[in-house]
Amino acid sequence: MKIYDLVIIGSGPAGMSAAIYAQRAMLDFVMIEKEYMPGGQVVQTYEVDNYPGIPKTNGMDLGLKFSEHAKELGAKSITAEVKEIYADEEIKEIMLKNGDTLKTRTIILATGAVHQNLGIEGEEKLKGMGVSYCATCDANFFEDFEVYVVGGGDSAVEEAMYLTKFARKVTIIHRRAELRAAKSIQEKAFANPKIAFLWDSVVEEVGGDGLLQTMTVKNVKTGELTKIEADPKDGLFGLFGFIGMIPNTGVFADKVETDDKGYIKTDEDMHTNVPGVYAAGDVRVKSLRQVVTAVADGAIAAVQVERSMSDY
Ligand code: NAP
């Protein structure tokens, strides 16, 4: 059976960057893409204006550019989902859900992170029926409706601004009286006449008859409960949750060392505690989760793999 030099798991910015560097190093590798649409989380981001050299773009375009670049250089990918990894031996095995097995000397884990659920009563039942976690995907369903956004970080505030292009009013519900988002992002939101704020507040539960029509919001300082109901003319409102991410470690969570939130621990050269296994991008413990740091991680990991290959 063929033994690859490297298998990259994940096709977001970190995985794509690793693929570009691995291709240039002429490694024998393949990248596993879980989704038919490569690009990772960034493709769901409406606006990216902090990637050097590209003053303003949208996540979809940037993700596609990464993908086209990797493919233009000749990087090969397969669309598949990983079922199990055996990484303790020198030759590692990756079992796929389609029944195939890949053998490789090294692995780069670049699986990113996914949105966190709000964890409130009624949420599961109303997902896709008013409750969403992706403004780029679902904003157009709320043209001229009222929309609420939960969270105070970069995602919540940026996505709230995007939602104002569709909704007639967007209310950010934040558990504190101060946003966490970058100051430049905050300023834009405060200046947007369609955005309102509900400070010191959390959503306790959501309800509705098949569609999101009611929710209870609690003021965490006073304990006061407020019931919010959809305008009868609308029959529903939107609730978008952006309260942070959870690492996409899935099947390898117990195979590599992680922190208490599940993010993979690496050294600055992306080595995990398992020889031959590297982690890059949002899935690893780091202080800044941005496209620019994800692509840097991917490059470093691939170069480390290249250097380790001289041992063979
Ligand atoms: P985040 O920065 O972790 O912010 C999560 C927000 O949700 C915080 O305001 C937090 O409140 C709130 N929150 C957490 N748990 C909650 C709960 N159970 N109930 C209510 N509120 C809760 O997450 P993010 O905004 O998704 O960003 C993730 C990473 O991506 C960050 O590193 C961010 O900088 C990056 N990002 C960057 C950009 C950009 O640069 N353009 C865009 C999007 C994301 P507290 O503030 O009280 O903790």
Side-chain angles (χ1 to χ4, degrees):
M1 187 192 242
K2 176 186 176 69
I3 301 173
Y4 287 102
D5 293 335
L6 164 68
V7 172
I8 300 167
I9 306 179
S11 61
M16 290 292 178
S17 164
I20 288 166
Y21 276 73
Q23 186 65 30
R24 283 167 54 87
M26 300 204 306
L27 295 176
D28 183 8
F29 78 100
V30 69
M31 176 167 60
I32 302 177
E33 300 178 336
K34 186 174 163 194
E35 311 279 351
Y36 285 93
M37 166 64 79
Q41 268 177 72
V42 72
V43 301
Q44 294 182 2
T45 305
Y46 167 63
E47 195 172 280
V48 178
D49 63 4
N50 54 5
Y51 192 74
I54 308 178
K56 196 165 252 182
T57 183
N58 65 65
M60 177 76 80
D61 278 354
L62 190 59
L64 284 175
K65 277 198 181 101
F66 288 152
S67 173
E68 282 161 15
H69 186 170
K71 284 177 184 157
E72 213 173 278
L73 288 176
K76 294 201 174 42
S77 62
I78 53 170
T79 303
E81 214 172 315
V82 175
K83 189 171 140 205
E84 190 65 84
I85 293 179
Y86 298 101
D88 288 342
E89 305 296 325
E90 195 178 307
I91 305 300
K92 298 156 195 336
E93 289 191 11
I94 300 171
M95 332 287 244
L96 304 178
K97 286 198 175 156
N98 65 14
D100 291 348
T101 297
L102 304 177
K103 288 195 175 199
T104 178
R105 294 185 195 283
T106 63
I107 299 173
I108 296 178
L109 303 170
T111 44
V114 286
H115 74 81
Q116 200 167 314
N117 285 347
L118 294 168
I120 53 173
E121 209 184 310
E123 180 179 13
E124 284 304 317
K125 216 174 61 181
L126 291 167
K127 274 183 185 172
M129 309 307 286
V131 176
S132 171
Y133 313 88
C134 174
T136 327
C137 319
D138 296 333
N140 60 325
F141 298 128
F142 297 97
E143 185 121 37
D144 209 27
F145 284 78
E146 275 211 54
V147 160
Y148 296 81
V149 165
V150 183
D154 289 339
S155 301
V157 183
E158 281 197 331
E159 300 306 306
M161 280 188 292
Y162 176 63
L163 283 160
T164 61
K165 293 179 193 295
F166 301 83
R168 66 171 181 268
K169 183 179 175 195
V170 177
T171 304
I172 295 179
I173 303 173
H174 184 37
R175 63 182 178 182
R176 294 186 292 133
E178 197 186 353
L179 297 172
R180 174 184 293 280
K183 290 280 178 270
S184 57
I185 299 175
Q186 292 192 28
E187 273 172 26
K188 286 190 203 162
F190 289 139
N192 188 320
K194 279 175 125 185
I195 295 185
F197 293 88
L198 256 180
W199 301 111
D200 298 317
S201 300
V202 293
V203 180
E204 291 262 287
E205 44 119 24
V206 286
D209 190 11
L211 291 172
L212 176 61
Q213 289 155 334
T214 64
M215 75 178 163
T216 307
V217 175
K218 181 180 168 186
N219 183 304
V220 292
K221 289 220 163 125
T222 62
E224 188 190 348
L225 296 177
T226 306
K227 187 154 186 177
I228 292 174
E229 292 188 2
D231 184 321
K233 288 198 297 295
D234 297 339
L236 91 155
F237 58 86
L239 180 67
F240 286 76
F242 298 107
I243 63 164
M245 311 299 293
I246 42 175
N248 230 340
T249 42
V251 294
F252 47 84
D254 57 344
K255 312 272 167 157
V256 286
E257 205 183 331
T258 63
D259 69 3
D260 55 0
K261 291 187 183 138
Y263 289 99
I264 299 171
K265 290 186 181 175
T266 67
D267 66 9
E268 64 178 22
D269 283 332
M270 311 303 143
H271 299 94
T272 69
N273 64 314
V274 180
V277 179
Y278 304 75
D282 282 7
V283 76
R284 76 180 190 94
V285 176
K286 62 196 299 191
S287 62
L288 183 63
R289 293 195 171 84
Q290 299 273 298
V291 178
V292 73
T293 61
V295 296
D297 287 0
I300 293 168
V303 169
Q304 289 299 314
V305 170
E306 179 192 6
R307 291 188 183 157
S308 75
M309 284 299 134
S310 55
D311 300 340
Y312 295 104

